[in-house]
Amino acid sequence: MRSNENYLPHIATAAFLTLAVLISFQLFILREPTRIAADETYHKNTAVTAGKTTFAKNCAACHGANGEGSEDGPSLNNKQFLSTVDDGTIFSVVSSGVPNTRMPAWNQVHGGPFTDEDVRNLVAFVRSWQPNAPDLVVTVKPGDPARGAAIFDATCYACHGKDGIGTDRAPALNDTVKLHQFDDAWYRDTIMNGRPAQGMPTWGTVLSPEQVNDLLALFDQWRSAAPAVGEKPAATPAPTATVLPKVAPTAAPATPTVTAVVTAAVTVTEATTPTVEVARPSNPGGPGQAVNLKGVVASGLKIYTQQCVKCHGEAGKGGVDNPGSSDGTIPALNPIDETLVNTDIKVYAYNIDLFMEHGSTPGGPNPTSKMTAWGDEKKLTPQQIADVIAYVISLNK
Ligand code: HEC
Ligand code: HEC
Ligand code: HEC
């Protein structure tokens, strides 16, 4: 009789099996983090090893075999540096380099030899020093007025005039009253941020922190050359060399100088997300002689037809493909990128001139076309550059 069959053992077995499955599943879940961690450690080690090889070949010459730094590059194996930067920042700095310094761009995106992965491996290797990084005293190179004067002549002279006496384009900077009214921090801020709306360009993305220090040293020289009334001449010039105190490993807040250097590096590399910033070419450098010449639209048109049409299209209308660039096309010049436009014609010309002089590589993994450095490569004379700028501006009227 079926009603007499005993189901109890089956039920017990089923219950046991269910429980066994549940438990083993729990155990599996519990072990998962360990498995993932082991995986991560494996990948991290591989990245560190790969980064080590790349570093020895490409970076050690300037940053030292163990990242201890040299004449040619700052130390990276350094507690202060490593505790104040995150991986993203190191990635950016290594990718884009630091314009106007000896630090080259390494990522293919910025014209360097490495892929994103190569750069990530370098970051992993640099980061691997952190647990044992020595507490080095970081020195910021003192500003040098002679270097400052050279930078001034190359970048500021066109608007602020010889020795900063001013022109119709920009106010005098060698102005004793102003120099005594404002301190280094104010000048640093003004130079780094500029006042794009008033025609003073943003220099923080063009000059390195050291170069700004050099300019400040030049201003300091102007300042002490003519002391303000009632003020004692600075007998010993304010020390520009800042030697940072040692910081205990746990003291998190960085000294301002280090932060300034680091954030400046960030600003440089964040040029891809402009807010109010004027579009700037990827290649650094100041304006050429063209900005001081009067351009002739008719000859600009001829040059445009010979040299520019194939990339920027008939009458600057664009529409030319640029595979491998993030935009996918070469930018139109009519209408031209609106951040380059300025009501002051000199500033407008200046903005275009930077592209004309130094060329520019668009963002993206492997852009087919880039903007030629017409000035630097001496492919056009300053007058021809002035003419073609006049033509481009006339297209946008
Ligand atoms: C020709 C010399 C040179 C080479 C080669 C070089 N660097 Fe640099 N590097 C510099 C200089 C100079 C600076 C400082 C730039 C500045 O003034 O801000 C720098 C800055 C850096 C910084 C930022 C440091 C800081 O304190 O903000 C990092 C990170 C860096 N380099 C990594 C690398 C890596 C990785 C490589 C190899 C792929 C490399 N560098 C190769 C010269 C060099
Ligand atoms: C394209 C022209 C141009 C160039 C190049 C230029 N500036 Fe200026 N700059 C200006 C103008 C215009 C102003 C005035 C802005 C205003 O009216 O607020 C100015 C203002 C300044 C001020 C503030 C002066 C004050 O009294 O308020 C400083 C400091 C300064 N520039 C420094 C520099 C330095 C340093 C460089 C070179 C790295 C430079 N500028 C390059 C156009 C320029
Ligand atoms: C081989 C192709 C090529 C030629 C030839 C060329 N350009 Fe360009 N140009 C480019 C590319 C690509 C860019 C974008 C660069 C970037 O995004 O950094 C550009 C950017 C510019 C810009 C900045 C505009 C913007 O929106 O970023 C100006 C201005 C400009 N070119 C003017 C000229 C003039 C004038 C000529 C002729 C003398 C010329 N170009 C010839 C490829 C070219």
Side-chain angles (χ1 to χ4, degrees):
M1 282 236 314
R2 298 183 68 83
S3 56
N4 275 356
E5 269 178 46
N6 186 1
Y7 288 104
L8 218 59
H10 300 289
I11 292 170
T13 314
F16 173 75
L17 283 175
T18 313
L19 207 67
V21 166
L22 282 176
I23 289 172
S24 54
F25 192 62
Q26 291 298 321
L27 283 176
F28 179 74
I29 288 177
L30 282 174
R31 282 193 45 232
E32 190 59 7
T34 332
R35 201 184 60 76
I36 292 175
D39 233 37
E40 272 174 1
T41 315
Y42 173 77
H43 284 298
K44 211 163 107 192
N45 289 341
T46 329
V48 170
T49 313
K52 186 175 182 173
T53 315
T54 315
F55 189 91
K57 281 199 199 125
N58 299 280
C59 323
C62 292
H63 291 288
N66 298 304
E68 69 278 14
S70 79
E71 280 278 283
D72 297 316
S75 72
L76 304 174
N77 187 351
N78 160 355
K79 190 154 260 154
Q80 279 202 10
F81 170 67
L82 290 168
S83 60
T84 47
V85 289
D86 58 23
D87 287 0
T89 307
I90 304 180
F91 183 91
S92 303
V93 176
V94 176
S95 289
S96 65
V98 184
N100 288 314
T101 73
R102 301 200 58 203
M103 174 64 186
W106 293 97
N107 199 313
Q108 285 169 2
V109 173
H110 297 274
F114 298 151
T115 62
D116 278 359
E117 193 183 348
D118 295 328
V119 178
R120 275 196 295 271
N121 293 343
L122 280 165
V123 174
F125 176 60
V126 169
R127 183 59 75 195
S128 74
W129 285 322
Q130 190 164 7
N132 303 311
D135 210 354
L136 294 181
V137 176
V138 179
T139 47
V140 171
K141 260 207 209 136
D144 170 9
R147 279 198 309 250
I151 298 163
F152 191 89
D153 287 349
T155 13
C156 323
Y157 173 92
C159 292
H160 289 288
K162 186 168 165 39
D163 297 327
I165 55 169
T167 68
D168 56 350
R169 244 166 274 175
L173 299 177
N174 196 346
D175 167 335
T176 334
V177 177
K178 269 257 164 72
L179 284 165
H180 283 274
Q181 196 176 355
F182 295 111
D183 60 3
D184 276 2
W186 183 88
Y187 278 105
R188 186 190 304 279
D189 247 35
T190 311
I191 296 169
M192 302 279 282
N193 301 323
R195 294 184 201 138
Q198 274 80 39
M200 164 68 181
T202 306
W203 294 104
T205 50
V206 177
L207 298 174
S208 77
E210 248 169 39
Q211 291 179 307
V212 176
N213 278 350
D214 293 339
L215 283 167
L216 295 180
L218 172 70
F219 289 9
D220 220 35
Q221 204 174 54
W222 289 344
R223 189 180 280 129
S224 39
V229 190
E231 231 181 83
K232 270 190 283 173
T236 41
T240 34
T242 324
V243 177
L244 298 175
K246 286 195 179 210
V247 173
T250 45
T255 43
T257 326
V258 168
T259 325
V261 172
V262 172
T263 42
V266 176
T267 327
V268 164
T269 51
E270 274 179 358
T272 40
T273 51
T275 44
V276 288
E277 226 143 68
V278 182
R280 289 270 179 259
S282 67
N283 299 339
Q289 289 167 41
V291 293
N292 298 317
L293 301 171
K294 201 168 154 38
V296 182
V297 174
S299 25
L301 166 63
K302 276 198 205 124
I303 298 159
Y304 186 88
T305 313
Q306 286 160 6
Q307 309 284 5
C308 325
V309 136
K310 63 169 190 266
C311 286
H312 291 289
E314 274 317 318
K317 286 290 182 192
V320 181
D321 286 344
N322 194 1
S325 73
S326 35
D327 289 348
T329 53
I330 298 177
L333 300 180
N334 173 21
I336 196 166
D337 183 308
E338 61 180 22
T339 66
L340 298 177
V341 178
N342 198 290
T343 46
D344 181 341
I345 193 85
K346 300 230 165 93
V347 177
Y348 195 173
Y350 169 94
N351 288 339
I352 299 177
D353 184 59
L354 291 185
F355 281 91
M356 294 298 296
E357 299 299 334
H358 312 296
S360 186
T361 306
N366 196 11
T368 313
S369 300
K370 51 185 182 178
M371 171 66 179
T372 315
W374 301 97
D376 291 346
E377 291 174 20
K378 304 224 174 348
K379 290 192 165 153
L380 291 175
T381 64
Q383 185 60 56
Q384 289 174 314
I385 292 177
D387 294 347
V388 84
I389 291 175
Y391 171 68
V392 170
I393 290 178
S394 77
L395 287 176
N396 287 277
K397 284 257 163 72

